[in-house]
Amino acid sequence: MIKSMTGFGSTEVSLGDYRHRLEVKSVNSKFCDVKVRIPNELTGLDIKIQQYVRSKIARGHVEIFVGREALTGTSGGSVSVNWDLAESYYKAYQSIRAKFGINQDASLAMVTNAREVITINRNEEDQETLWTHFREALDESFLSVIRMREAEGQVLAVDMAGRCNSLRETIGFIAKRAPQVVEAYRKRLKEKIQSVNDEELDAARLAQEVCYFADRCDITEELTRLKSHIQQFLNFLEQDEPVGRRLDFLVQEMNREANTIGSKSSSAEVSQAVVEIKSELEKLREQIQNVE
């Protein structure tokens, strides 16, 4: 069963002194493109998260957002003050005030905002334990993402299978019409010759000209390849592995065969049928852009 590249999943997990919220968004892309937005304290998990995503999907642009907030009643760390440095800053500010005659005392903000006066000491977190819990949260989020991708994939598969059946009907019409095109040409050529030449018609020469025409407009091979491509396309729709690129290649090949049929045809009906084929192929191509 094919999958689309569109999905969303989210979950929350409490680890130590923090609550984490994970959001996973997936949209279509030619390749597997992963973007992770994560708090600075968790940057050590960035590579692991990217590797995890690539083990789950083959194609798609995936964005993962990780939010973090301290749980109620916890600090997530402690704050320390470098009193000696704070006193040095204060004296320096006072000296500058006195030297330049500034009628303003050094404020609390000036001292506390000075570099390294106040230090936040984060509680150490074991990265392996953190990753174990994060992986569980990712599993839960990706379960929702995969389910959405599978559900939309089923809808896409039904739509594309229907379009393939429509293509088969149009190809069947062309296959029936092709011999009539040659016969119609033979009649037109015969009538034209007789209208300008009262002498006896050269049947052998007429047959030769008709044979040349039939060879130039023969589309048997193109129709056979088109039917084969459509069957391969339908077979791929039943597979569980990523097939988006192969489906895209098949549509390109089918479009090429349709162009050849259109260039060989001298029938307005066949030309119109080719236009219908190309229209269906374009709709297939648009759908494939979201198939993994």
Side-chain angles (χ1 to χ4, degrees):
M1 180 62 65
I2 68 170
K3 299 181 182 70
S4 78
M5 288 186 278
T6 303
F8 176 83
S10 66
T11 188
E12 290 188 358
V13 59
S14 296
L15 304 175
D17 296 332
Y18 299 94
R19 178 187 293 109
H20 301 81
R21 175 172 176 80
L22 280 74
E23 288 188 357
V24 181
K25 299 178 182 178
S26 172
V27 295
N28 61 312
S29 175
K30 289 184 178 181
F31 310 100
C32 182
D33 178 27
V34 185
K35 182 178 181 181
V36 181
R37 291 185 293 168
I38 195 168
N40 291 334
E41 312 91 83
L42 303 176
T43 51
L45 301 181
D46 191 312
I47 295 178
K48 290 181 179 293
I49 292 174
Q50 293 199 37
Q51 291 173 340
Y52 174 92
V53 174
R54 290 189 168 88
S55 71
K56 293 292 183 180
I57 65 171
R59 293 178 71 197
H61 175 77
V62 180
E63 291 188 5
I64 296 181
F65 169 78
V66 180
R68 193 183 210 207
E69 61 180 10
L71 295 170
T72 303
T74 63
S75 63
S78 61
V79 176
S80 60
V81 180
N82 188 329
W83 294 107
D84 291 336
L85 186 61
E87 184 177 0
S88 298
Y89 273 116
Y90 179 77
K91 290 179 178 179
Y93 291 146
Q94 292 292 73
S95 298
I96 294 173
R97 182 183 67 83
K99 181 175 180 61
F100 293 103
I102 301 173
N103 188 24
Q104 180 182 355
D105 196 6
S107 67
L108 175 63
M110 292 173 63
V111 176
T112 56
N113 289 337
R115 187 175 181 181
E116 297 181 358
V117 170
I118 295 179
T119 304
I120 299 176
N121 305 305
R122 303 286 185 185
N123 292 337
E124 290 295 328
E125 296 177 284
D126 181 71
Q127 293 295 304
E128 288 304 318
T129 302
L130 192 61
W131 170 242
T132 299
H133 290 289
F134 252 89
R135 184 183 176 89
E136 293 174 359
L138 281 170
D139 284 338
E140 185 176 341
S141 297
F142 257 88
L143 183 60
S144 298
V145 172
I146 297 301
R147 283 175 176 171
M148 287 186 66
R149 288 164 68 106
E150 289 176 344
E152 185 169 312
Q154 286 182 311
V155 175
L156 293 176
V158 171
D159 179 80
M160 290 190 287
R163 297 192 184 283
C164 284
N165 290 331
S166 177
L167 286 172
R168 279 176 163 172
E169 292 178 2
T170 306
I171 291 170
F173 167 80
I174 294 176
K176 291 180 180 179
R177 187 71 182 87
Q180 299 174 13
V181 172
V182 177
E183 178 59 23
Y185 174 78
R186 188 191 69 81
K187 290 181 178 180
R188 289 198 307 272
L189 183 59
K190 181 178 180 180
E191 291 171 357
K192 188 173 183 179
I193 293 175
Q194 289 178 334
S195 67
V196 298
N197 188 0
D198 294 332
E199 298 180 5
E200 184 178 349
L201 182 66
D202 187 343
R205 182 54 186 268
L206 176 62
Q208 186 179 38
E209 289 297 329
V210 171
C211 183
Y212 287 153
F213 175 79
D215 184 62
R216 289 197 305 271
C217 68
D218 182 28
I219 54 175
T220 304
E221 293 183 6
E222 287 78 8
L223 292 176
T224 300
R225 284 193 290 268
L226 260 179
K227 292 176 183 177
S228 174
H229 293 332
I230 291 173
Q231 186 57 54
Q232 290 181 66
F233 194 100
L234 291 171
N235 291 341
F236 282 139
L237 293 182
E238 299 297 325
Q239 296 188 12
D240 291 328
E241 61 187 56
V243 294
R245 292 180 182 177
R246 281 177 279 184
L247 293 178
D248 190 51
F249 171 76
L250 282 175
V251 168
Q252 292 180 36
E253 291 302 302
M254 285 190 274
N255 196 64
R256 184 179 303 173
E257 301 298 344
N259 285 333
T260 303
I261 292 173
S263 65
K264 286 186 174 183
S265 174
S266 62
S267 165
E269 292 178 320
V270 172
S271 296
Q272 180 58 39
V274 169
V275 171
E276 293 175 8
I277 289 176
K278 291 174 68 67
S279 176
E280 287 294 336
L281 290 176
E282 179 60 25
K283 292 172 183 176
L284 276 178
R285 190 192 66 80
E286 291 176 359
Q287 296 287 45
I288 290 171
Q289 302 312 304
N290 202 34
V291 174
E292 184 180 15

